[in-house]
Amino acid sequence: MKILSVVGARPNFVKIAPLAKTFSERGFNHVLVHTGQHYDYEMSKVFFSDLDLPEPDRHLGVGSGTHAVQTGKIMAAMEKALLEEAPDITLVVGDVNSTLAAAIASAKLGLPVAHVEAGYRSFDMRMPEEINRVVVDRISHLLFSPTENAVLNLMNEGVKRESIHFVGNIMIEALLTNREKAQKSNILEKIGVKKKRYCVATVHRPHNVESKKNMQIILDAFSQAPLPVVFPVHPRTREAIARYNLDTAGANVYMIKPLGYLDFVRLLSQAACVITDSGGIQEEALVLQVPCVTVRETTERVETIKAGANRLCALDIEAILTCLKNVLENNKEFEIPLFWDEGVSKRIADVLEREEIAIPGYSMI
Ligand code: UD1
């Protein structure tokens, strides 16, 4: 079976790593395409070395742009790649623009699409990722869900039960298989912080960073946090802080470049808590038993809230400081959801082997 899988943005690289390894062990003909949505060393290349990912077979070199421009460019380049590669199935992961563009290009060529991380919903259509999730799931043939709740979301939308496969959380497989290696990182010493005596922070959602007022609230909250805050700054966020000429002088805040995967896992695993607006970090924090404050109105990662590992927090200095105080007092162990383990890529490969014959053969290629 020939599988073409697509990566573009940082969280995609993490999710594809365990799959690429298992596909190679199973002898699948696996073609890896990098759209180029993320292109900086810190946002892309370092993940390939940290995660032992093979070099992409194709690089589309699309880069940044508005949503329509970025998605459109990826669709056009993907269509060409798909016609030339003629895979049996296209595999996409997560919810970024590369995921959406590749799924549309593939489905329109009559090539079946497999979506890994299907069924997550924040029910907030103001998030570009929510639009991506809904559209990709609607046009996918095989839907690999990370949680039982994601399966229910899909069934509520009328997806046929036989298309949905509850396989578990692929990002957690990556975390568990790399956890030991990550402990060798000396990132804490490099930054100069001590185990469990600091918070990690990441913010990059347009709602939080593409507004001078909101960005200032976040920076002020970090400056007033009860522990030092280590803040690896996403390029979008760095650009916004510079554009608004914001005051980032808080001595309490270590603003550093985005980190590679192993350094970030080490930093997160030793933190007292994490403040984020990312999706995946909410889940990684749960598994690493690090309490999380999510500066968003909604989350598609509802299991993290149910487990008591995560709190949604309003964009307000007092609210963020109160949430931080509350989570820092936590001493509970969080229960890890079913199938958030090291067997996810194998479950996916089992389904792909089983379903090979059953996938409708209506390809236009
Ligand atoms: C994307 C995903 C988001 C994911 C995040 C992880 C979408 C809609 N969003 O958001 O879900 O959580 O990646 O990082 O796909 N830039 C660089 N260098 C890079 C990449 C980006 O400088 O290597 C800058 C560019 O100025 C670009 C901006 O960051 O315009 C935003 O990049 P983009 O990929 O469009 O969205 P993200 O905010 O990274």
Side-chain angles (χ1 to χ4, degrees):
M1 168 168 27
K2 183 167 181 180
I3 303 174
L4 183 144
S5 50
V6 183
V7 290
R10 195 165 54 172
N12 293 164
F13 311 134
V14 181
K15 290 168 195 168
I16 222 68
L19 289 165
K21 184 161 177 284
T22 298
F23 290 173
S24 144
E25 284 163 7
R26 297 275 175 112
F28 293 176
N29 181 358
H30 183 216
V31 175
L32 183 63
V33 178
H34 189 328
T35 65
Q37 177 175 348
H38 284 177
Y39 42 86
D40 285 346
Y41 174 81
E42 296 90 5
M43 299 298 285
S44 173
K45 190 109 185 109
V46 62
F47 285 79
F48 281 77
S49 47
D50 276 6
L51 291 155
D52 291 325
L53 257 172
E55 274 295 304
D57 298 284
R58 283 172 181 259
H59 208 298
L60 307 182
V62 163
S64 304
T66 62
H67 282 277
V69 166
Q70 188 176 57
T71 310
K73 276 186 175 170
I74 300 171
M75 279 172 66
M78 269 309 303
E79 185 177 61
K80 186 166 176 288
L82 288 165
L83 286 166
E84 287 169 9
E85 293 287 351
D88 297 303
I89 189 159
T90 305
L91 183 138
V92 295
V93 294
D95 56 12
V96 303
N97 285 343
S98 296
T99 314
L100 172 72
I104 294 178
S106 183
K108 291 250 180 159
L109 287 171
L111 282 172
V113 176
H115 182 209
V116 177
E117 208 178 83
Y120 271 160
R121 295 290 180 268
S122 66
F123 302 101
D124 180 357
M125 279 296 200
R126 291 170 304 176
M127 279 180 82
E129 292 81 4
E130 181 72 356
I131 301 171
N132 296 347
R133 288 189 278 263
V134 169
V135 176
V136 173
D137 285 341
R138 188 67 189 83
I139 60 177
S140 291
H141 300 80
L142 291 178
L143 297 103
F144 292 112
S145 289
T147 63
E148 288 161 289
N149 191 63
V151 173
L152 286 179
N153 286 339
L154 292 169
M155 289 173 70
N156 287 339
E157 289 175 15
V159 179
K160 287 194 295 234
R161 184 64 188 87
E162 56 269 31
S163 307
I164 311 169
H165 303 272
F166 173 36
V167 292
N169 191 329
I170 196 71
M171 201 150 189
I172 298 307
E173 176 172 349
L175 176 68
L176 296 174
T177 48
N178 285 289
R179 198 176 176 173
E180 229 178 272
K181 207 164 135 195
Q183 295 316 318
K184 299 200 182 87
S185 152
N186 63 352
I187 190 69
L188 271 69
E189 295 74 18
K190 262 195 189 156
I191 299 169
V193 285
K194 296 211 161 50
K195 282 183 189 180
K196 299 291 165 194
R197 303 291 302 275
Y198 63 91
C199 306
V200 185
T202 77
V203 282
H204 69 276
R205 300 256 151 234
H207 174 72
N208 287 337
V209 305
E210 301 286 346
S211 141
K212 185 172 182 180
K213 182 171 148 269
N214 293 352
M215 190 72 250
Q216 187 68 67
I217 291 174
I218 289 173
L219 292 173
D220 288 348
F222 290 178
S223 304
Q224 293 171 39
L227 287 174
V229 174
V230 181
F231 179 23
V233 188
H234 187 285
R236 176 198 285 281
T237 311
R238 186 172 293 281
E239 202 268 314
I241 292 172
R243 183 169 3 113
Y244 300 133
N245 204 9
L246 293 178
D247 182 13
T248 58
N252 199 29
V253 185
Y254 297 78
M255 286 179 68
I256 58 173
K257 278 187 173 181
L259 292 175
Y261 183 68
L262 298 173
D263 282 342
F264 188 76
V265 168
R266 169 74 182 160
L267 189 68
L268 180 60
S269 70
Q270 302 305 319
C273 74
V274 54
I275 316 166
T276 192
D277 60 8
S278 147
I281 292 173
Q282 299 170 46
E283 304 183 325
E284 292 169 333
L286 184 162
V287 172
L288 294 169
Q289 302 292 328
V290 175
C292 181
V293 172
T294 300
V295 189
R296 278 170 48 181
E297 287 172 24
T298 56
T299 181
E300 59 293 337
R301 267 66 177 191
V302 289
E303 272 67 18
T304 60
I305 306 277
K306 277 191 219 148
N310 186 17
R311 252 165 227 250
L312 292 179
C313 181
L315 190 62
D316 172 86
I317 299 180
E318 286 313 313
I320 296 174
L321 293 175
T322 307
C323 279
L324 276 178
K325 185 172 171 290
N326 290 340
V327 301
L328 285 170
E329 280 162 7
N330 169 76
N331 48 19
K332 267 199 346 239
E333 174 111 352
F334 312 129
E335 197 183 326
I336 297 175
L338 183 62
F339 288 168
W340 287 27
D341 59 19
E342 290 178 60
V344 185
S345 62
K346 292 187 181 61
R347 285 181 208 112
I348 291 173
D350 288 346
V351 174
L352 288 169
E353 278 175 339
R354 221 172 43 227
E355 299 277 322
E356 188 175 4
I357 318 123
I359 292 169
Y362 62 88
S363 164
M364 285 175 220
I365 297 177

